[in-house]
Amino acid sequence: YQADVDRAMEVMLDELARMSADPSWSDMITKEPQMLGVQDLVGSGVLIRARLTTVAEQRWSVQREALRRLKTRFADEEIEIL
């Protein structure tokens, strides 16, 4: 609950947009990323949900890369994830 939720959502959407624009991934992502917002309050954290629409057979590859990028970006921005 220490992180600024609005800032976390802003960073998350920005990073997913960067991924969508990356030529290595853009053919696999079929729509602009969507920020769905706060999904739940869980334990000592906040669950934030966003959506990337992908080519079906690439969804797991895209998910793994998106999570990797988000982890790195949150660390760079000093946003704590639990």
Side-chain angles (χ1 to χ4, degrees), residues 35-50:
M35 174 52 62
L36 303 178
V38 175
Q39 178 76 24
D40 201 357
L41 304 175
V42 291
S44 62
V46 176
L47 178 63
I48 300 171
R49 185 159 301 215

Side-chain angles (χ1 to χ4, degrees), residues 45-65:
V46 176
L47 178 63
I48 300 171
R49 185 159 301 215
R51 176 180 296 145
L52 275 177
T53 304
T54 69
V55 175
E57 57 273 3
Q58 296 298 324
R59 70 177 174 251
W60 303 119
S61 297
V62 171
Q63 179 184 14
R64 285 189 295 273
E65 178 63 12

